């Protein structure tokens, strides 16, 4: 009887060791740079007031829909430079604080923000990534936070763009 228990424990131990999950390679992660390089047209704008205790959000897409042209942004590469250009002609609000400049990610493999460096300016525009950005993704979701002069968060724009072309 004792031998059977030892044999049973030994078999269970071998079974547990042999049932180890096999780790499979899934390949190289998709390039985030390749994913963002495209022409993007604005599809939706949500503005969230961060000052009150209870945050209030408002969809302001209609404000831009009545304009002759939707805001858009183009991310592209020329030689070693990563560049952007914005077309907000005729609009009073430019979320990007510039019409052109350089861009980069905060981390090359695992970006959480797109950093915009406007031409002829020293400030940096921080745009938080709110979703994945791969070549197969047709939406670019970013947000921009707006602060007052004391660095208090006032509101946030959540922007959604649709890929027009690569």
């Amino acid at each position: 009887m004792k031998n059977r228990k030892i044999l049973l424990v030994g078999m269970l131990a071998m079974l547990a060791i042999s049932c180890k999950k096999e780790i499979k390679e899934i390949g190289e992660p998709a390039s985030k740079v390749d994913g963002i390089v495209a022409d993007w047209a604005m599809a939706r704008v949500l503005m969230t007031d961060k000052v009150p205790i209870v945050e209030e959000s408002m969809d302001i897409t209609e404000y831009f829909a009545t304009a002759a042209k939707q805001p858009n942004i183009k991310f592209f590469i020329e030689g070693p430079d990563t560049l952007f250009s914005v077309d907000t002609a005729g609009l009073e609000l430019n979320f990007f604080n510039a019409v052109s400049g350089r861009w980069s990610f905060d981390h090359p493999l695992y970006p959480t923000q797109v950093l915009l460096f406007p031409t002829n300016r020293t400030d940096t525009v921080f745009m938080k990534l709110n979703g994945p950005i791969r070549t197969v993704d047709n939406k670019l979701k970013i947000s921009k936070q707006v602060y007052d002069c004391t660095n208090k968060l006032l509101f946030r724009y959540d922007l959604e763009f649709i890929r027009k072309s690569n």
Side-chain angles (χ1 to χ4, degrees), residues 35-43 131-141 160-166:
I36 200 168
V37 170
D39 286 327
W40 299 94
M42 184 171 289
I133 185 65
R134 302 164 296 198
T135 54
V136 296
D137 297 317
N138 288 323
K139 290 185 180 178
L140 170 63
K141 297 178 182 181
E160 187 175 300
F161 293 86
I162 302 292
R163 186 185 303 270
K164 292 193 317 185
S165 66
N166 285 345

Side-chain angles (χ1 to χ4, degrees), residues 147-163:
Y147 298 88
D148 67 6
C149 59
T150 64
N151 212 25
K152 179 181 176 187
L153 180 60
L154 297 176
F155 53 92
R156 181 185 72 226
Y157 292 113
D158 292 313
L159 311 169
E160 187 175 300
F161 293 86
I162 302 292
R163 186 185 303 270

Side-chain angles (χ1 to χ4, degrees), residues 1-101:
M1 186 70 173
K2 200 173 195 181
N3 288 339
R4 286 185 181 176
K5 286 183 183 179
I6 292 173
L7 182 61
L8 182 62
V9 170
M11 287 175 51
L12 288 175
M14 289 181 64
L15 181 63
I17 292 171
S18 66
C19 289
K20 184 178 174 184
K21 287 188 178 182
E22 184 177 326
I23 298 174
K24 296 180 182 179
E25 291 293 323
I26 59 172
E28 290 292 318
S31 169
K32 309 309 186 260
V33 172
D34 291 344
I36 200 168
V37 170
D39 286 327
W40 299 94
M42 184 171 289
R44 185 169 183 232
V45 182
L46 187 67
M47 182 177 151
T48 304
D49 188 353
K50 303 297 274 184
V51 175
I53 294 172
V54 177
E55 295 179 4
E56 297 177 21
S57 295
M58 179 179 11
D59 189 333
I60 61 172
T61 308
E62 280 299 312
Y63 172 78
F64 297 100
T66 59
K69 181 183 283 188
Q70 293 285 338
N72 61 53
I73 187 166
K74 178 180 181 179
F75 293 98
F76 58 101
I77 298 174
E78 283 186 2
D81 295 325
T82 53
L83 304 170
F84 76 92
S85 64
V86 176
D87 186 4
T88 56
L91 296 174
E92 295 179 26
L93 181 59
N94 182 343
F95 299 105
F96 311 102
N97 298 357
V99 294
S100 65

